[in-house]
Amino acid sequence: MFDFHMHSRVSFDSEGDARRMAETARARGLREICFTDHYDYHDIREETPDLFTLARYAEAYDGLAVEGLTVRRGVEYGLTLWNAPELKELLAARRFDFVIGSVHFVDGFDPYYPNFWQGKTVEQAFERYLEHTLDCVRIHADYDVLGHLNYVCKSEHNPSHAPLRYADHREICDEILRELVRRGKGMEINTSGVDRAGAFLPDAAFLRRFRELGGEIVTVGSDAHDEARVGQYVSQALDILREIFGYVCTFEDRRPIFHRL
């Protein structure tokens, strides 16, 4: 069992204690985890970013060890249309095992909050998020996997409370997936949508299409921000990956490791 998307209080939106989260992971039977704290930029340059300091990151993780558990150090980087150079600077300043690239802001708003949804139908909101995601993955080259591809549907302010379906947005989803394949990037199956959007982020349909197009790298993460969600729904996600890929990936020093399921 693996959980390669976790946040402790190093992230601006978590109060989780890294050691307790790691100990919880071991108690729940996980073999390997990766902390992937937010290094998040707004898509408007002038807005204040949510960044951790490298000193705080080192304090939380560099001495962290739990017997029987492999602990990796990663980052979840907020992709925008303008911050590719800033990612290079971060990676030059600190070695990470794993980098998730995620899209958290579109047209000045985080889709998790109500302002993004105002004046849009659900389908318009979904399509706009996907359009922006495509623009971001065309620009960035220094991350390892794309995080929670259909993050937009996770919000409680989604009027339909329905997941984003591949079949409803096939053309643009294929463009995103082809770009990931072309650049050798992977895709995450994020389990935090199961009880918030009624589906994994993304679900099996996306993963099957990613595989059909030549995608190879897949990881799984709970997106836990506290002990309660560590490893949540990971076993079910691995069942999906077992059927479609036959393996799941972890990362060490930015290199994928393939684990047969």
Side-chain angles (χ1 to χ4, degrees):
M1 292 257 288
F2 309 96
D3 191 340
F4 257 60
H5 191 147
M6 295 172 55
H7 301 270
S8 80
R9 62 171 61 102
V10 174
S11 290
F12 71 94
D13 59 350
S14 169
E15 290 301 322
D17 178 79
R19 176 164 294 279
R20 285 202 297 269
M21 291 178 74
E23 290 171 348
T24 298
R26 179 68 186 95
R28 292 180 180 174
L30 273 67
R31 291 167 44 193
E32 187 171 343
I33 63 172
C34 187
F35 285 98
T36 54
D37 287 287
H38 287 293
Y39 207 84
D40 221 6
Y41 286 89
H42 204 289
D43 66 334
I44 298 174
R45 284 177 183 263
E46 293 75 20
E47 294 290 338
T48 304
D50 292 306
L51 312 179
F52 56 74
T53 66
L54 293 180
R56 187 178 186 192
Y57 188 98
E59 181 182 6
Y61 300 125
D62 284 356
L64 179 60
V66 174
E67 186 176 357
L69 179 73
T70 299
V71 180
R72 304 293 185 196
R73 284 84 177 162
V75 60
E76 182 179 13
Y77 191 81
L79 306 179
T80 76
L81 301 183
W82 59 268
N83 68 346
E86 283 76 4
L87 178 52
K88 288 184 180 296
E89 291 177 7
L90 174 65
L91 297 179
R94 164 88 200 197
R95 292 179 68 90
F96 295 98
D97 288 303
F98 181 52
V99 179
I100 300 172
S102 295
V103 176
H104 292 132
F105 289 94
V106 181
D107 301 328
F109 300 111
D110 183 339
Y112 200 73
Y113 298 101
N115 285 349
F116 172 78
W117 298 88
Q118 292 176 2
K120 302 183 185 75
T121 67
V122 171
E123 291 308 303
Q124 287 170 339
F126 286 176
E127 193 77 7
R128 181 66 194 116
Y129 179 82
L130 293 170
E131 290 169 351
H132 188 70
T133 298
L134 177 60
D135 289 340
C136 287
V137 299
R138 283 174 169 166
I139 288 171
H140 284 268
D142 293 317
Y143 64 98
D144 300 315
V145 306
L146 180 65
H148 45 51
L149 169 58
N150 42 1
Y151 166 77
V152 62
C153 67
K154 181 176 169 179
S155 171
E156 66 180 16
H157 302 288
N158 169 5
S160 70
H161 301 290
L164 190 161
R165 304 289 187 189
Y166 167 77
D168 297 334
H169 303 272
R170 183 184 302 270
E171 183 175 339
I172 191 166
C173 288
D174 275 358
E175 290 190 62
I176 294 169
L177 298 179
R178 286 192 177 98
E179 189 68 19
L180 296 179
V181 172
R182 186 180 72 81
R183 290 177 172 265
K185 303 304 179 187
M187 191 160 63
E188 169 194 64
I189 178 170
N190 186 300
T191 70
S192 68
V194 172
D195 56 359
R196 296 177 181 178
F200 289 106
L201 307 176
D203 65 16
F206 285 88
L207 293 160
R208 288 193 185 94
R209 185 58 175 155
F210 183 56
R211 184 62 164 162
E212 289 171 358
L213 293 171
E216 296 181 341
I217 297 170
V218 283
T219 63
V220 62
S222 67
D223 212 340
H225 285 63
D226 54 42
E227 296 167 54
R229 286 187 175 266
V230 170
Q232 189 175 46
Y233 306 119
V234 163
S235 62
Q236 296 94 318
L238 292 177
D239 287 341
I240 294 172
L241 296 184
R242 181 180 296 109
E243 176 191 350
I244 299 171
F245 291 85
Y247 59 81
V248 66
C249 297
T250 59
F251 274 76
E252 180 180 5
D253 198 24
R254 305 292 307 282
R255 294 189 298 271
I257 300 170
F258 294 78
H259 302 267
R260 186 170 297 280
L261 295 172

